[in-house]
Short mmCIF file of all heavy atoms in Angstrom, two decimals:
data_model
loop_
_atom_site.label_atom_id
_atom_site.label_comp_id
_atom_site.label_asym_id
_atom_site.label_seq_id
_atom_site.Cartn_x
_atom_site.Cartn_y
_atom_site.Cartn_z
N PRO C 280 -15.01 5.65 -5.62
CA PRO C 280 -16.08 5.35 -6.57
C PRO C 280 -16.26 3.85 -6.86
O PRO C 280 -17.37 3.33 -7.03
CB PRO C 280 -15.60 6.06 -7.90
CG PRO C 280 -14.67 7.08 -7.42
CD PRO C 280 -13.97 6.45 -6.24
N GLN C 281 -15.11 3.12 -6.83
CA GLN C 281 -15.20 1.67 -7.08
C GLN C 281 -15.86 0.86 -5.95
O GLN C 281 -16.42 -0.16 -6.14
CB GLN C 281 -13.79 1.11 -7.34
CG GLN C 281 -13.15 1.65 -8.64
CD GLN C 281 -14.06 1.52 -9.83
OE1 GLN C 281 -14.54 0.41 -10.10
NE2 GLN C 281 -14.28 2.59 -10.51
N MET C 282 -15.71 1.41 -4.70
CA MET C 282 -16.34 0.76 -3.58
C MET C 282 -17.84 0.71 -3.73
O MET C 282 -18.49 -0.22 -3.25
CB MET C 282 -15.96 1.48 -2.26
CG MET C 282 -14.52 1.32 -1.89
SD MET C 282 -14.03 2.40 -0.53
CE MET C 282 -15.06 1.85 0.80
N LEU C 283 -18.42 1.75 -4.36
CA LEU C 283 -19.85 1.75 -4.57
C LEU C 283 -20.36 0.69 -5.54
O LEU C 283 -21.45 0.18 -5.51
CB LEU C 283 -20.29 3.16 -5.04
CG LEU C 283 -19.94 4.35 -4.13
CD1 LEU C 283 -20.31 5.64 -4.80
CD2 LEU C 283 -20.71 4.18 -2.81
N LEU C 284 -19.45 0.36 -6.48
CA LEU C 284 -19.78 -0.59 -7.58
C LEU C 284 -19.36 -2.05 -7.23
O LEU C 284 -19.90 -2.96 -7.76
CB LEU C 284 -19.11 -0.18 -8.85
CG LEU C 284 -19.43 1.22 -9.38
CD1 LEU C 284 -18.61 1.55 -10.62
CD2 LEU C 284 -20.93 1.33 -9.74
N ASN C 285 -18.39 -2.15 -6.31
CA ASN C 285 -17.83 -3.45 -6.01
C ASN C 285 -17.81 -3.64 -4.48
O ASN C 285 -16.84 -3.31 -3.81
CB ASN C 285 -16.44 -3.55 -6.58
CG ASN C 285 -15.85 -4.95 -6.46
OD1 ASN C 285 -16.25 -5.76 -5.67
ND2 ASN C 285 -14.80 -5.26 -7.28
N PRO C 286 -18.85 -4.28 -3.93
CA PRO C 286 -18.88 -4.49 -2.45
C PRO C 286 -17.73 -5.28 -1.93
O PRO C 286 -17.26 -5.10 -0.81
CB PRO C 286 -20.22 -5.23 -2.24
CG PRO C 286 -21.05 -4.86 -3.46
CD PRO C 286 -20.10 -4.76 -4.57
N THR C 287 -17.24 -6.21 -2.71
CA THR C 287 -16.06 -7.04 -2.30
C THR C 287 -14.87 -6.15 -2.05
O THR C 287 -14.14 -6.30 -1.06
CB THR C 287 -15.75 -8.11 -3.32
OG1 THR C 287 -16.89 -8.96 -3.50
CG2 THR C 287 -14.58 -8.99 -2.84
N LEU C 288 -14.64 -5.22 -2.98
CA LEU C 288 -13.54 -4.32 -2.86
C LEU C 288 -13.76 -3.40 -1.59
O LEU C 288 -12.82 -3.13 -0.83
CB LEU C 288 -13.42 -3.43 -4.09
CG LEU C 288 -12.26 -2.39 -4.08
CD1 LEU C 288 -10.93 -3.14 -4.07
CD2 LEU C 288 -12.41 -1.50 -5.33
N GLY C 289 -15.00 -3.00 -1.39
CA GLY C 289 -15.33 -2.18 -0.22
C GLY C 289 -15.00 -2.87 1.07
O GLY C 289 -14.48 -2.33 2.02
N ARG C 290 -15.35 -4.20 1.18
CA ARG C 290 -15.04 -4.95 2.38
C ARG C 290 -13.53 -5.08 2.59
O ARG C 290 -13.06 -5.03 3.71
CB ARG C 290 -15.69 -6.34 2.28
CG ARG C 290 -17.22 -6.31 2.48
CD ARG C 290 -17.74 -7.70 2.70
NE ARG C 290 -17.63 -8.51 1.47
CZ ARG C 290 -18.56 -8.54 0.50
NH1 ARG C 290 -19.67 -7.78 0.61
NH2 ARG C 290 -18.41 -9.29 -0.55
N GLN C 291 -12.81 -5.24 1.49
CA GLN C 291 -11.40 -5.36 1.58
C GLN C 291 -10.77 -4.06 2.11
O GLN C 291 -9.93 -4.05 2.98
CB GLN C 291 -10.76 -5.67 0.19
CG GLN C 291 -9.27 -5.97 0.17
CD GLN C 291 -8.78 -6.25 -1.22
OE1 GLN C 291 -9.44 -5.95 -2.23
NE2 GLN C 291 -7.57 -6.76 -1.30
N ILE C 292 -11.24 -2.93 1.55
CA ILE C 292 -10.69 -1.66 1.95
C ILE C 292 -11.07 -1.31 3.41
O ILE C 292 -10.32 -0.59 4.10
CB ILE C 292 -11.18 -0.54 1.01
CG1 ILE C 292 -10.61 -0.79 -0.40
CG2 ILE C 292 -10.82 0.87 1.48
CD1 ILE C 292 -11.22 0.08 -1.50
N SER C 293 -12.21 -1.82 3.88
CA SER C 293 -12.67 -1.52 5.24
C SER C 293 -11.66 -2.01 6.27
O SER C 293 -11.73 -1.57 7.43
CB SER C 293 -14.06 -2.13 5.47
OG SER C 293 -13.97 -3.54 5.55
N GLN C 294 -10.76 -2.90 5.88
CA GLN C 294 -9.78 -3.38 6.85
C GLN C 294 -8.85 -2.27 7.32
O GLN C 294 -8.39 -2.31 8.48
CB GLN C 294 -8.93 -4.49 6.17
CG GLN C 294 -9.64 -5.75 5.79
CD GLN C 294 -8.67 -6.72 5.10
OE1 GLN C 294 -7.55 -6.92 5.55
NE2 GLN C 294 -9.13 -7.32 3.98
N ILE C 295 -8.62 -1.28 6.48
CA ILE C 295 -7.74 -0.19 6.86
C ILE C 295 -8.25 0.61 8.05
O ILE C 295 -7.59 0.74 9.04
CB ILE C 295 -7.47 0.74 5.61
CG1 ILE C 295 -6.85 -0.11 4.52
CG2 ILE C 295 -6.48 1.87 6.04
CD1 ILE C 295 -6.70 0.64 3.21
N PRO C 296 -9.47 1.26 7.92
CA PRO C 296 -10.02 1.97 9.04
C PRO C 296 -10.34 1.06 10.28
O PRO C 296 -10.23 1.53 11.42
CB PRO C 296 -11.27 2.66 8.54
CG PRO C 296 -11.64 1.84 7.32
CD PRO C 296 -10.37 1.36 6.72
N ASP C 297 -10.70 -0.20 10.03
CA ASP C 297 -11.06 -1.07 11.13
C ASP C 297 -9.85 -1.32 11.99
O ASP C 297 -9.89 -1.31 13.20
CB ASP C 297 -11.53 -2.43 10.56
CG ASP C 297 -13.00 -2.32 10.10
OD1 ASP C 297 -13.61 -1.25 10.29
OD2 ASP C 297 -13.46 -3.29 9.47
N ARG C 298 -8.65 -1.51 11.35
CA ARG C 298 -7.42 -1.73 12.09
C ARG C 298 -7.03 -0.55 12.90
O ARG C 298 -6.59 -0.63 14.04
CB ARG C 298 -6.26 -2.12 11.15
CG ARG C 298 -6.45 -3.47 10.53
CD ARG C 298 -5.31 -3.77 9.57
NE ARG C 298 -5.49 -5.06 8.89
CZ ARG C 298 -4.66 -5.52 7.95
NH1 ARG C 298 -3.62 -4.82 7.56
NH2 ARG C 298 -4.90 -6.67 7.36
#
Side-chain angles (χ1 to χ4, degrees):
Q281 295 308 306
M282 289 170 63
L283 300 174
L284 302 173
N285 187 341
T287 301
L288 181 66
R290 286 192 292 272
Q291 186 181 15
I292 294 169
S293 70
Q294 295 178 45
I295 301 172
D297 285 351
R298 289 177 184 178

